[in-house]
């Protein structure tokens, strides 16, 4: 029993060392920053300064964000979430198969995209809502409030397990953490979001978002220009 405990203790110590070195590696100095497929040019950002600021933000956020991989109980809950979602996907595939072979081509999708609102703090020239308008020019009408949003998640979850939170810019919604947490709690998988990244530095130091990085399966950050003046709405 003693040697078993010794082994467990050793494993825990090794895991702690691995985590510490992972954290260290995130804290590389600006001088370590290298690019593979890009050469910095005139008018581009001062990358050393950007990296330095990013390191400061990581330090700020590290007091709030849950970086660890979770307790055994949390890992079991995650496995249960994914299994439950895969079971739904399996049932939907069977329904699709039956529908298709009976001539009904209204098939269930593997995931849905929720345009949470039209607001955006960027002004990308190529912005398009797939109908020829820019999101930021559209009135912010018929937006589901938090409770209606949860109802939408409940209804869609019956047959669909993947969700892609989009906008406009979804991180401008004040209830985003509540809605992603709710989607996580009812076993959506994968939980995805598309963001311009402009608010991540504020979100990640907000305790309301402490679990957010652990819960989201995919965070897609669009970096569409190297000059913020090209993207940012004056006064935003
Ligand atoms: S970040 Fe997205 S929604 Fe906002 S202006 Fe750019 S393309 Fe449009």
């Amino acid at each position: 029993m003693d040697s078993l405990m010794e082994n467990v203790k050793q494993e825990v110590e090794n895991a702690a060392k691995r985590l510490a070195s992972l954290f260290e590696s995130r804290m590389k100095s600006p001088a370590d920053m290298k690019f593979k497929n890009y050469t910095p040019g005139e008018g581009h950002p001062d990358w050393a300064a950007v990296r330095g600021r990013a390191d400061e933000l990581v330090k700020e956020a590290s007091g709030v964000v849950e970086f660890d991989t979770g307790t055994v109980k949390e890992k079991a809950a995650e496995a249960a979430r994914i299994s439950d979602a895969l079971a739904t996907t399996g049932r939907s595939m069977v329904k699709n198969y039956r529908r298709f072979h009976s001539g009904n081509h209204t098939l269930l999708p593997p995931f849905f995209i929720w345009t949470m609102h039209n607001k955006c703090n960027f002004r990308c020239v190529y912005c398009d809502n797939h109908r020829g308008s820019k999101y930021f020019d559209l009135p912010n009408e018929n937006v589901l409030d938090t409770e209606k949003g949860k109802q939408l998640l409940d209804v869609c979850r019956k047959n669909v397990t993947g969700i892609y939170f989009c906008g406009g810019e979804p991180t401008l919604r004040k209830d985003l953490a509540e809605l992603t947490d709710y989607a996580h709690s009812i076993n959506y998988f994968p939980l995805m979001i598309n963001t311009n990244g402009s608010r991540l530095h504020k979100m990640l130091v907000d305790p309301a978002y402490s679990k957010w990085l652990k819960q989201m399966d995919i965070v897609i950050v669009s970096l569409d220009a190297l000059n913020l003046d090209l993207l940012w709405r004056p006064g935003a």
Side-chain angles (χ1 to χ4, degrees):
M1 184 58 88
D2 279 354
S3 77
L4 179 66
M5 287 310 292
E6 203 45 52
N7 284 344
V8 170
K9 195 170 155 231
Q10 192 58 51
E11 280 302 312
V12 170
E13 275 172 11
N14 290 343
K17 275 184 200 153
R18 281 199 297 274
L19 263 180
S21 101
L22 185 69
F23 198 72
E24 272 293 296
S25 68
R26 292 180 185 195
M27 298 289 183
K28 281 183 198 162
S29 73
D32 295 323
M33 194 160 163
K34 291 191 180 74
F35 298 101
K36 279 189 190 153
N37 301 311
Y38 155 76
T39 309
E42 200 181 324
H44 292 188
D46 175 347
W47 292 111
V50 169
R51 181 59 199 240
R53 178 68 186 125
D55 285 351
E56 282 171 24
L57 289 168
V58 169
K59 279 181 191 148
E60 270 178 58
S62 63
V64 179
V65 173
E66 292 182 20
F67 277 127
D68 66 286
T69 54
T71 61
V72 173
K73 198 173 160 194
E74 283 171 338
K75 282 181 186 161
E78 274 300 280
R81 172 176 74 100
I82 294 168
S83 309
D84 188 48
L86 292 178
T88 303
T89 303
R91 284 193 294 275
S92 293
M93 284 173 73
V94 172
K95 283 181 197 167
N96 281 345
Y97 180 86
R98 288 192 181 132
R99 284 184 188 183
F100 188 80
H101 286 280
S102 66
N104 176 358
H105 292 175
T106 51
L107 305 180
L108 298 162
F111 69 92
F112 74 96
I113 299 173
W114 180 9
T115 299
M116 304 180 88
H117 64 182
N118 295 325
K119 285 187 192 170
C120 190
N121 53 351
F122 278 15
R123 292 295 180 266
C124 306
V125 288
Y126 53 79
C127 186
D128 193 312
N129 72 339
H130 310 288
R131 293 179 189 171
S133 299
K134 296 179 185 303
Y135 282 106
F136 51 80
D137 282 339
L138 295 170
N140 205 40
E141 290 171 347
N142 302 322
V143 171
L144 299 181
D145 65 17
T146 312
E147 286 318 305
K148 287 271 185 338
K150 287 181 181 174
Q151 281 173 27
L152 172 78
L153 291 169
D154 283 334
V155 169
C156 291
R157 179 60 186 82
K158 291 192 170 95
N159 289 304
V160 181
T161 66
I163 176 159
Y164 193 22
F165 295 96
C166 289
E169 174 48 42
T171 63
L172 292 178
R173 274 193 71 131
K174 292 197 169 36
D175 56 1
L176 178 67
E178 184 174 347
L179 289 165
T180 52
D181 184 56
Y182 185 71
H184 185 268
S185 75
I186 58 174
N187 298 342
Y188 270 95
F189 173 79
L191 279 169
M192 302 171 276
I193 189 166
N194 196 337
T195 171
N196 61 30
S198 62
R199 292 205 71 259
L200 290 177
H201 64 299
K202 291 186 179 156
M203 290 161 59
L204 296 181
V205 294
D206 178 348
Y209 283 86
S210 62
K211 291 184 287 181
W212 195 75
L213 280 182
K214 261 174 142 178
Q215 291 178 331
M216 297 306 295
D217 297 298
I218 300 174
V219 177
I220 299 167
V221 179
S222 304
L223 297 174
D224 300 311
L226 291 175
N227 184 343
L228 263 191
D229 294 336
L230 290 177
L231 299 169
W232 199 255
R233 180 183 64 176

